[in-house]
Amino acid sequence: QVQLVESGGGSAQAGGSLRLACVAVESVSRRYCMAWFRQVPGKPREGVAAVHGGGGLFYYADSVQDRFIISRDDAKNTVYLQMNSLKPEDTAMYYCAADSPACGLKAKYNAWGRGTQVTVSS
């Protein structure tokens, strides 16, 4: 199973930016869909963004459309989430996911990272 390690979380002011990175410990097939999810305590996990293998197709939650950008660098086994115009409601634990037979925010992923905390203050 693919092991995923997230980094880049932290604190930001509303309107600011953060960039998350997720490294796959071993080589990730270019066919893998990779995604970012987030979760607030007491609420279900929410799909944020996903990118198809090869990077040609993207999925975004309505709440982050036009603010967040997902990208991948298969040579580095890494997927990124550039988060701009951050809002307090973006505060959550962010998780990287991979290894799914399908792609998108509703797909079932078999590999998950441990998460990185993002906190946005007003």
Side-chain angles (χ1 to χ4, degrees):
Q1 189 178 44
V2 177
Q3 290 185 308
L4 305 171
V5 180
E6 303 97 335
S7 63
S11 299
Q13 296 280 340
S17 298
L18 286 172
R19 189 192 195 202
L20 306 184
C22 170
V23 179
V25 173
E26 58 268 17
S27 179
V28 175
S29 169
R30 286 175 171 78
R31 296 175 297 173
Y32 269 14
C33 179
M34 298 191 75
W36 287 95
F37 287 73
R38 65 186 181 187
Q39 190 169 24
V40 176
K43 293 188 176 182
R45 191 172 291 182
E46 173 192 21
V48 175
V51 55
H52 241 278
L57 193 59
F58 306 90
Y59 306 84
Y60 292 98
D62 289 344
S63 58
V64 306
Q65 184 75 48
D66 297 328
R67 298 190 298 122
F68 290 9
I69 301 171
I70 188 170
S71 62
R72 62 191 290 163
D73 185 338
D74 289 330
K76 297 181 179 180
N77 297 322
T78 302
V79 62
Y80 302 96
L81 186 68
Q82 177 67 43
M83 303 186 296
N84 302 317
S85 301
L86 283 163
K87 303 176 180 180
E89 51 263 43
D90 293 320
T91 295
M93 184 71 79
Y94 283 72
Y95 298 90
C96 177
D99 189 9
S100 169
C103 196
L105 305 184
K106 301 295 185 183
K108 177 178 171 58
Y109 293 85
N110 297 312
W112 293 86
R114 293 189 173 185
T116 184
Q117 178 68 36
V118 170
T119 302
V120 183
S121 56
S122 57

